[in-house]
Amino acid sequence: MHKAPQTQSDSPSPLLGRSSSGKPELDCKNGEREQTESAAPRTPEWRVSEGLTDYQAAVAAMEARAAAIARDESPELIWLLEHPPLYTAGTSAKAEELIETRFPVYRAGRGGQFTYHGPGQRVAYVMLDLRRRAPDVRRFVAGLEEWIIRALAAFDIAAERRAGRIGVWVRRPDKGEGCEDKIAAIGVRIRRWITLHGVAINVACELSHYGGIVPCGISEPRYGVTSLADLGRKVSMGQLDAALRREFEGGFDCRAPRA
């Protein structure tokens, strides 16, 4: 497998701004919770990359930015982009869940199993400082799910969370009783209470590309994958980005209730 660099570089990066003053993976000293005395969070910076962004370059830039946030040298960042076709393997991925190596495969430091990234999928790398928010990993993941659910509601998509199946799902009665498809995946890592990686929302990607893996380790026939386009919604990346930003700024809450 190609291996994404695991760096915490202090070198210049396009994501290093100037300071104005799964299953989640933890790199926190005292486990899941830690008491802090940091100030309230500032409004995150938002960044959109046009075209397709190289995966390894994105991981290196993300880790450098997260390190700068931890040092209070850069503000939080939400980075919206698309990748070329590839598979990533989370820390819980099993070799047998890679069915066919159709695209490059990268080991990712995030939690979870295998997933697909490619054109037509909006990836949001979320670099937040949980020291200034709520240092609770499970509630952070629930907050990401709720953020996506609210954004998709703008396009008349009734998305839902499911206990035991991280991500965002839609019911598919047209496919049979009890059928559901995942429309958005979540995979995060927390390092020194700074979040890395984030979410991937299928807008108009090629769904057949998921056939090379067992997506997120879920192999039951009644669970599949879908996209906004597959559900008959013609939505541009710009429209989705606007909904994501509106719903985040309208009250992203790391303390969202668990389903």
Side-chain angles (χ1 to χ4, degrees):
M1 289 187 183
H2 300 267
K3 187 173 182 180
Q6 303 295 317
T7 60
Q8 295 187 38
S9 172
D10 294 333
S11 59
S13 161
L15 297 189
L16 292 179
R18 293 184 181 274
S19 174
S20 58
S21 51
K23 167 170 86 173
E25 287 296 301
L26 267 177
D27 283 344
C28 298
K29 186 168 52 180
N30 295 322
E32 188 170 305
R33 289 179 178 270
E34 177 177 326
Q35 298 299 318
T36 65
E37 297 180 359
S38 298
R42 299 184 293 269
T43 301
E45 176 187 350
W46 287 73
R47 186 160 301 185
V48 180
S49 291
E50 302 295 335
L52 302 179
T53 301
D54 177 78
Y55 181 76
Q56 291 178 303
V59 170
M62 175 175 55
E63 292 197 344
R65 178 61 174 252
I69 294 170
R71 297 190 300 266
D72 293 321
E73 294 175 359
S74 293
E76 298 175 317
L77 174 68
I78 298 174
W79 185 17
L80 305 175
L81 53 81
E82 294 175 77
H83 287 305
L86 58 92
Y87 298 130
T88 63
T91 55
S92 300
K94 301 175 182 177
E96 60 268 25
E97 293 172 347
L98 178 61
I99 299 170
E100 181 184 355
T101 310
R102 301 181 184 178
F103 307 111
V105 182
Y106 298 92
R107 290 200 178 277
R110 61 165 176 79
Q113 292 87 13
F114 281 101
T115 196
Y116 165 76
H117 295 308
Q121 181 192 75
R122 175 53 90 212
V123 173
Y125 287 134
V126 179
M127 288 154 266
L128 299 182
D129 187 349
L130 297 190
R131 299 170 302 180
R132 299 173 183 271
R133 294 177 179 271
D136 184 306
V137 180
R138 291 190 180 92
R139 292 187 178 187
F140 168 65
V141 172
L144 292 176
E145 291 172 334
E146 184 64 23
W147 175 40
I148 297 167
I149 288 168
R150 294 201 311 262
L152 291 177
F155 310 106
D156 198 28
I157 298 293
E160 303 173 73
R161 66 167 59 90
R162 290 288 179 263
R165 285 187 274 133
I166 289 177
V168 175
W169 299 78
V170 294
R171 300 173 192 248
R172 298 301 303 266
D174 54 311
K175 292 185 173 183
E177 185 177 355
C179 289
E180 297 184 345
D181 286 345
K182 178 178 277 193
I183 193 169
I186 295 174
V188 300
R189 182 173 186 175
I190 315 293
R191 178 179 295 158
R192 290 181 289 174
W193 290 112
I194 310 301
T195 66
L196 297 99
H197 299 277
V199 307
I201 304 170
N202 292 340
V203 180
C205 56
E206 179 52 68
L207 296 178
S208 67
H209 289 176
Y210 280 93
I213 58 173
V214 177
C216 301
I218 298 174
S219 58
E220 292 184 55
R222 62 189 175 127
Y223 300 138
V225 291
T226 190
S227 67
L228 284 158
D230 183 51
L231 295 172
R233 308 301 196 274
K234 188 175 181 180
V235 177
S236 70
M237 287 294 180
Q239 289 173 316
L240 178 60
D241 293 349
L244 287 169
R245 184 161 188 170
R246 180 175 62 251
E247 295 303 332
F248 188 97
E249 294 181 345
F252 178 82
D253 188 359
C254 294
R255 297 160 292 180
R258 301 187 198 105

